[in-house]
Amino acid sequence: MRTVFAASARAATARGGRWSGTGRSALALVLGGLPVFAFPTPDLWWWAYVCLVPLLLLIRTAPTARRAGYDGWCGGTGFMLAVHHWLLPSLNVFLVVLAVLFGLLWLPWGRLVRAMLGGIPSPRRAGAALVLIPSGWLMIELVRSWQGLGGPWGLLGASQWEVPAALRLASVGGVWLLSGLVVAVNTALALLVAASSRVRRGARSRHAALAGLAGLLGCVLLLGLAPWAVPAPRTTGKVVRIGVVQAGLLGGAVGAARRFDRGEELTRTLAGQRLDLVVWGESSVGADLRTRPNLAARIAALSREVGAPVLVNVDARRSDRPGIYKSAVLVGPGGLTGQRYDKMRLVPFGEYIPLRPLLGWATSVGKAAEVNRRRGTAPVVMTLPPGAGGTGAPGLRIGPLICFETAFPDMSRHLADMGAQVIVAQSATSTFQDSWAPAQHASLGALRAAETGRPMVHATLTGISAAYAPDGRRTGPVLGTDRSATAVYTLPLSDTRTGYDRLGPWPVYASGLALLVAGAVGAAGRFRTSGRGPRAPRTRTARGSAGRPGH
């Protein structure tokens, strides 16, 4: 991989005339996909800090701003294709269409990169690049994080989920701060490479190199000091014990019944383990429990047997309103508790088709949703009823999320603000068992725990199931996609309010402000220049060289 990086970096630093047209576009497409190796399953977290350098170096050599925009567009398309490649069996050619459309978000970023890094940057421009290029990237992540556009899968900062220092920074500024830091390091390295290739040009190259070096050292210092400067969440001394039931991949015509039977069988093995809660994965129940009292009674019997309430997930038509919902439903020893959460943010094309009259043809080329699921209207914090054998946590407040919702930083933050002591996610990635998706999905729990200072359990139907302490560290066993089993997690509780919990996505706000200020300064400079009146033509020598006699 290092060889690939070196080769691509050399290619990207070639002069604009050497790579043009289709060649540049193809190269940008490939370079844009390089960040995918920083995410699970490859999980090369360090790769995130260098993977954008070749693309940055290519864009800076663009002969025009328009060409730089095209390079950014192609790079963004490559990025979207790479981080969502596991959707190809479901979306088919439609994935390419979506990637090209979302790649447009990188078009202005490409122009920004060329404006900041093109030629030999002055010290002021090099310093601005270290702020504005990461800011532009964060704006892209913000826009594509809107649920109506698909949601925030593949945020660059999420690649740092297993780096303790990065998790401390996530508690300050969320995944947004990590994304900005990663892009800043790549920008600093690009400045160093660009300046070193022009070292004979004199002081300006040296100044650009110094700016890049200063930026790099600043980022390294920030990461290095984070474990000491940012305290870990304070624990209350209380713990909660949660059992996870992973039924395994059980499909076919009677899949729902088989999943339920297997979940029931596995849950019985948890009896006597002093649990506070048992969690089943997404779509573990295929019928509305209000219309199937026999199923509700079986779950209530399990609750009495294990001495803890059971959080199941129902994927079915509701009896009290039209449509199909995915819902977290809490069942206690006495039956349904009345506490229910309906999934609010659905997976585009997987659970609904946006603008179905226009885009409904997607069902003919892939495995898109045949019927739109309905959305819930509000987040819910559930209070556990008392159990018979728990650790003394009756009244524990849990915040449920369902599957794709763990990708949204604002949802877990809102649950923490509502008083949730534990974030509980129910998920199923059975459609993508043999891809990188299950590992990537499970890793998001580390970020959500670190951001909120609340422990998080990621319970799946088919793997990967895992749990995370309040500081984001993974704790306890991991149930892979080849397991049909249970796991018990003992998690410390914390009442700490993190910086991200208090301030929200402030790195995004700061980035937007930086771009606005830079735009205003640039506009003011152009206005002043245009107000000076026409310049007198420069004198030319007999040989025609402006202002340089004898040359």
Side-chain angles (χ1 to χ4, degrees):
M1 188 166 291
R2 292 179 181 176
T3 303
V4 172
F5 173 78
S8 59
R10 285 194 298 269
T13 54
R15 292 185 179 273
R18 186 175 175 183
W19 292 94
S20 60
T22 304
R24 285 189 70 98
S25 298
L27 182 60
L29 188 73
V30 172
L31 298 183
L34 292 180
V36 72
F37 298 108
F39 296 95
T41 294
D43 230 359
L44 305 176
W45 63 266
W46 54 267
W47 178 248
Y49 293 95
V50 298
C51 62
L52 293 180
V53 173
L55 181 61
L56 291 169
L57 294 177
L58 175 69
I59 294 174
R60 70 175 291 273
T61 65
T64 65
R66 183 177 182 179
R67 181 66 245 183
Y70 287 152
D71 291 344
W73 183 5
C74 293
T77 300
F79 178 86
M80 294 298 290
L81 281 173
V83 298
H84 296 92
H85 72 275
W86 47 273
L87 285 171
L88 191 59
S90 295
L91 295 184
N92 208 291
V93 69
F94 205 73
L95 176 61
V96 178
V97 176
L98 290 175
V100 171
L101 291 176
F102 280 106
L104 285 169
L105 294 173
W106 276 265
L107 193 151
W109 185 76
R111 297 172 67 98
L112 173 66
V113 169
R114 181 181 182 274
M116 292 291 100
L117 300 181
I120 307 175
S122 66
R124 180 180 298 179
R125 184 152 59 97
L130 294 169
V131 175
L132 297 182
I133 292 176
S135 295
W137 186 279
L138 279 187
M139 291 299 102
I140 296 171
E141 292 197 336
L142 175 66
V143 172
R144 72 182 188 88
S145 293
W146 180 44
Q147 198 272 332
L149 290 179
W153 192 274
L155 300 185
L156 200 53
S159 64
Q160 305 304 294
W161 69 278
E162 57 184 343
V163 181
L167 291 174
R168 293 289 179 86
L169 291 179
S171 72
V172 176
V175 68
W176 312 107
L177 181 58
L178 300 185
S179 288
L181 177 68
V182 167
V183 180
V185 171
N186 279 273
T187 304
L189 289 174
L191 276 169
L192 285 172
V193 173
S196 64
S197 67
R198 294 172 174 264
V199 69
R200 295 182 180 180
R201 297 294 182 91
R204 192 165 183 174
S205 289
R206 290 194 295 272
H207 291 156
L210 288 174
L213 182 61
L216 182 62
L217 292 177
C219 293
V220 171
L221 190 64
L222 183 63
L223 267 175
L225 293 179
W228 291 273
V230 182
R234 179 184 63 254
T235 57
T236 62
K238 297 180 180 180
V239 297
V240 60
R241 284 174 57 81
I242 298 179
V244 167
V245 175
Q246 181 174 298
L249 180 58
L250 299 171
V254 292
R258 293 176 63 197
R259 286 196 299 270
F260 190 98
D261 292 343
R262 182 55 177 161
E264 187 177 39
E265 178 186 354
L266 289 171
T267 302
R268 287 199 176 99
T269 67
L270 296 173
Q273 299 202 41
R274 293 182 55 80
L275 300 177
D276 298 294
L277 177 67
V278 176
V279 185
W280 289 14
E282 182 185 11
S283 303
S284 49
V285 179
D288 189 342
L289 294 177
R290 294 180 180 181
T291 61
R292 294 290 301 276
N294 60 320
L295 296 182
R298 288 167 65 180
I299 300 171
L302 289 174
S303 176
R304 292 190 295 271
E305 189 171 344
V306 300
V310 182
L311 185 71
V312 298
N313 191 273
V314 177
D315 185 1
R317 292 187 180 276
R318 290 188 61 160
S319 59
D320 57 341
R321 62 183 65 174
I324 301 175
Y325 289 80
K326 284 192 175 182
S327 308
V329 178
L330 189 66
V331 182
L336 295 174
T337 65
Q339 299 186 76
R340 176 186 188 124
Y341 166 67
D342 296 323
K343 187 176 184 181
M344 297 172 61
R345 297 184 181 175
L346 304 176
V347 180
F349 298 97
E351 293 171 334
Y352 78 103
I353 295 182
L355 304 173
R356 183 176 284 272
L358 179 64
L359 302 177
W361 58 271
T363 59
S364 64
V365 296
K367 300 177 182 178
E370 294 290 342
V371 179
N372 284 0
R373 297 297 196 274
R374 298 294 183 94
R375 301 178 189 276
T377 57
V380 172
V381 172
M382 299 178 178
T383 302
L384 300 189
T391 59
L396 181 77
R397 298 183 299 278
I398 65 169
L401 295 172
I402 300 176
C403 197
F404 180 58
E405 293 180 328
T406 62
F408 293 86
D410 65 301
M411 294 198 73
S412 52
R413 175 176 173 253
H414 191 46
L415 289 172
D417 288 343
M418 292 173 64
Q421 296 168 281
V422 182
I423 309 297
V424 179
Q426 297 172 298
S427 177
T429 51
S430 55
T431 307
F432 312 106
Q433 285 294 94
D434 299 322
S435 73
W436 295 353
Q440 289 184 22
H441 198 181
S443 71
L444 296 176
L447 275 300
R448 305 295 87 88
E451 289 167 345
T452 60
R454 299 293 179 266
M456 180 165 177
V457 173
H458 183 79
T460 71
L461 183 68
T462 58
I464 296 173
S465 297
Y468 303 88
D471 61 358
R473 291 179 299 106
R474 191 165 62 187
T475 182
V478 176
L479 299 181
T481 56
D482 59 343
R483 301 285 302 279
S484 175
T486 63
V488 175
Y489 300 99
T490 301
L491 300 170
L493 298 179
S494 174
D495 57 5
T496 299
R497 290 198 67 193
T498 64
Y500 177 74
D501 185 28
R502 291 193 302 268
L503 302 176
W506 61 264
V508 174
Y509 305 147
S511 296
L513 180 61
L515 291 169
L516 286 174
V517 170
V521 170
R526 287 192 294 271
F527 178 78
R528 286 196 300 269
T529 301
S530 63
R532 291 175 182 173
R535 289 186 176 183
R538 298 180 66 182
T539 58
R540 305 185 72 85
T541 64
R543 289 192 170 183
S545 178
R548 297 183 65 190
H551 290 81

